[in-house]
Amino acid sequence: MNKINILVVEDDASVRNLMVTTLKLHDYKYEVAQTGKEALLEVTSHCPDIILLDLGLPDMDGCEVISTIRTFSSVPIIVISARSEDTDKIDALDKGADDYLTKPFSVDELLARIRVVIRRLNTQEEKSTSLYVNGNLKVDYVAGCVTVLDQEVHLTPIEYKLLCVLCKNTGKVLTHKYILKEVWGVALENDVASLRVFMATLRKKIEEKDSSIKYIQTHVGVGYRMVKY
């Protein structure tokens, strides 16, 4: 039995049964909740490792559930919702969700998203140290030095801050608003264009050293993700 315990929060019986069956077949432990209140009770009583959360719950909106959980827990939350608009995705991610999967979804994609979160959980201890390693990318937080394939990458202060934010949230989709607040302290709509420019130069500098790996993934209209290798 897999040690990871997953909480499934879904009021639609057919979707819930699909997810539970999938988790069972792949030896994941799981708990089930059908309402927001049940979900919050499960989180406080069973401390799941990952939450699969539907937004359209019968008693409260899923984004409210995310906000409440984030007041006391950093447990990874993967939203699984029929809401496909960018505004819905951005709202959920800004509230604190780690990922967003749109219904209808494939079982293989769901399992892949879960594996990404598990890899991130397994590297939490590594990321808390002074050295970050991801594929051929290394960031020495103490020295403020970045290397790819052991070749130093010369970054501007803003580019370095952007990279550190991405590295410390590897595998997680970060919205434009979140990144802007972390790097500049404010999140103005006009700053998104500047963010795209800085991100483009950062990506170019990294890929000049190693074009075989695409470390930074763009989520159009939403934000960016550091891919785990």
Side-chain angles (χ1 to χ4, degrees):
M1 176 68 74
N2 198 306
K3 293 182 180 179
I4 295 293
N5 184 32
I6 300 176
L7 172 61
V8 177
V9 187
E10 173 63 69
D11 65 315
D12 185 307
S14 59
V15 178
R16 185 173 65 250
N17 290 338
L18 171 63
M19 290 195 285
V20 166
T21 300
T22 299
L23 296 176
K24 189 183 300 183
L25 287 173
H26 289 82
D27 293 327
Y28 288 110
K29 292 169 60 180
Y30 64 88
E31 306 288 343
V32 174
Q34 299 182 41
T35 67
K37 290 180 180 179
E38 286 180 9
L40 295 174
L41 181 61
E42 287 290 335
V43 174
T44 55
S45 59
H46 291 100
C47 299
D49 299 296
I50 300 172
I51 299 173
L52 305 181
L53 175 68
D54 179 30
L55 294 182
L57 300 173
D59 60 336
M60 58 194 298
D61 188 82
C63 283
E64 185 182 348
V65 175
I66 297 171
S67 296
T68 303
I69 291 173
R70 285 293 173 256
T71 63
F72 63 87
S73 174
S74 60
V75 57
I77 301 172
I78 302 176
V79 170
I80 302 177
S81 175
R83 302 177 191 174
S84 59
E85 295 295 323
D86 284 347
T87 52
D88 294 316
K89 297 178 183 178
I90 291 170
D91 189 32
L93 292 166
D94 276 341
K95 288 293 192 301
D98 293 73
D99 203 351
Y100 197 108
L101 187 59
T102 305
K103 297 177 183 178
F105 59 89
S106 73
V107 166
D108 288 339
E109 184 174 8
L110 173 61
L111 291 170
R113 301 293 182 94
I114 292 173
R115 288 194 297 271
V116 167
V117 173
I118 292 173
R119 286 198 297 271
R120 184 158 61 85
L121 289 172
N122 290 338
T123 57
Q124 289 298 319
E125 183 175 347
E126 174 188 308
K127 291 196 297 182
S128 66
T129 66
S130 62
L131 181 65
Y132 170 85
V133 180
N134 183 19
N136 298 317
L137 171 66
K138 294 180 182 179
V139 180
D140 186 329
Y141 295 125
V142 174
C145 179
V146 178
T147 60
V148 176
L149 286 171
D150 294 324
Q151 301 177 67
E152 187 171 356
V153 181
H154 298 285
L155 302 178
T156 67
I158 292 295
E159 290 166 352
Y160 180 73
K161 286 182 180 180
L162 284 172
L163 181 61
C164 288
V165 170
L166 290 168
C167 290
K168 291 176 180 179
N169 292 277
T170 298
K172 181 176 180 179
V173 180
L174 303 180
T175 64
H176 297 132
K177 181 178 178 181
Y178 178 88
I179 297 172
L180 288 169
K181 279 190 173 181
E182 288 295 304
V183 176
W184 282 278
V186 293
L188 302 177
E189 193 66 32
N190 294 338
D191 291 333
V192 174
S194 297
L195 173 60
R196 291 194 180 103
V197 173
F198 279 110
M199 201 64 78
T201 59
L202 172 60
R203 180 184 280 124
K204 182 179 179 181
K205 288 181 179 181
I206 292 174
E207 292 182 357
E208 279 179 349
K209 304 294 184 184
D210 182 12
S211 60
S212 64
I213 298 180
K214 305 299 181 185
Y215 289 99
I216 302 172
Q217 183 181 76
T218 300
H219 290 255
V220 179
V222 178
Y224 301 91
R225 180 207 304 258
M226 172 64 74
V227 181
K228 174 64 181 173
Y229 289 99

